[in-house]
Amino acid sequence: MTKIILLTLVLILAGCATGRSYHNSDNMWKLGYSDTQLNERVYRVSYAGYSIPQSECDDFAIMRASEITKEKGYKYFRILTAKESSHSQSFYIPGSTYTTGTVDSYGNISATSYSSGLMGTANYPVSTITIEMIKEKNDASGTLDAEIIWGSLAKKHGVGK
């Protein structure tokens, strides 16, 4: 029982460390940001995070959009589509097996084996936006300045890059 409680605590702490930070989704849980280029100026950006509110996922997706915009030499972007969803992933963590036993003076052996594991499901929010990058600010509504967005949200979430 103690092992299960300890393992659960480790998973919770690992989930917080993985899910509450701005990072690429290069882990087995697919948490973090990912993006796909759809044409020269259009990207689809997603952020999935464990144990964080949907609004934080939204912020991280917009942060990634501003980061891509700056990396590609653009100054502005606008959000073409936005979608919020939830994703579930099942997991199993195998337990350890241990055996206890006794041997008496006549050579009789008595043994008992124990094995335990942990099975569960992780649910996490996902934010997906499609953006169009723009070189110069125009009169189109919803034009966002990548530098301002990055600075504001990075400060809000304690992200330094």
Side-chain angles (χ1 to χ4, degrees):
M1 182 67 165
T2 303
K3 285 185 180 184
I4 291 173
I5 292 170
L6 181 60
L7 183 57
T8 302
L9 181 61
V10 168
L11 286 173
I12 289 169
L13 292 175
C16 291
T18 302
R20 293 196 73 83
S21 63
Y22 179 77
H23 57 84
N24 193 334
S25 69
D26 60 356
N27 52 56
M28 73 178 216
W29 294 95
K30 303 294 184 223
L31 299 173
Y33 62 77
S34 61
D35 44 75
T36 304
Q37 186 172 7
L38 302 177
N39 72 33
E40 185 181 327
R41 296 184 311 141
V42 177
Y43 276 79
R44 182 175 53 238
V45 179
S46 292
Y47 190 90
Y50 180 71
S51 188
I52 66 173
Q54 183 70 52
S55 62
E56 199 166 325
C57 276
D58 297 345
D59 284 355
F60 287 155
I62 293 171
M63 282 177 65
R64 179 61 183 155
S66 67
E67 186 175 36
I68 292 169
T69 299
K70 295 187 313 176
E71 286 173 358
K72 299 299 179 184
Y74 291 85
K75 185 167 169 73
Y76 304 98
F77 68 96
R78 64 186 176 109
I79 299 173
L80 302 175
T81 63
K83 179 178 135 187
E84 295 177 346
S85 59
S86 179
H87 186 76
S88 297
Q89 185 161 343
S90 297
F91 62 89
Y92 175 72
I93 300 171
S96 58
T97 301
Y98 60 95
T99 304
T100 60
T102 57
V103 178
D104 65 18
S105 59
Y106 299 107
N108 296 320
I109 299 174
S110 171
T112 306
S113 291
Y114 301 93
S115 179
S116 61
L118 181 64
M119 197 159 80
T121 302
N123 296 308
Y124 46 92
V126 180
S127 292
T128 302
I129 59 175
T130 303
I131 64 156
E132 177 184 28
M133 299 178 294
I134 304 165
K135 289 266 186 204
E136 306 225 359
K137 191 170 186 174
N138 57 31
D139 292 335
S141 65
T143 301
L144 304 171
D145 185 309
E147 193 65 46
I148 291 172
I149 295 289
W150 175 264
S152 174
L153 292 176
K155 182 179 179 182
K156 176 182 176 181
H157 296 290
V159 175
K161 264 194 180 184

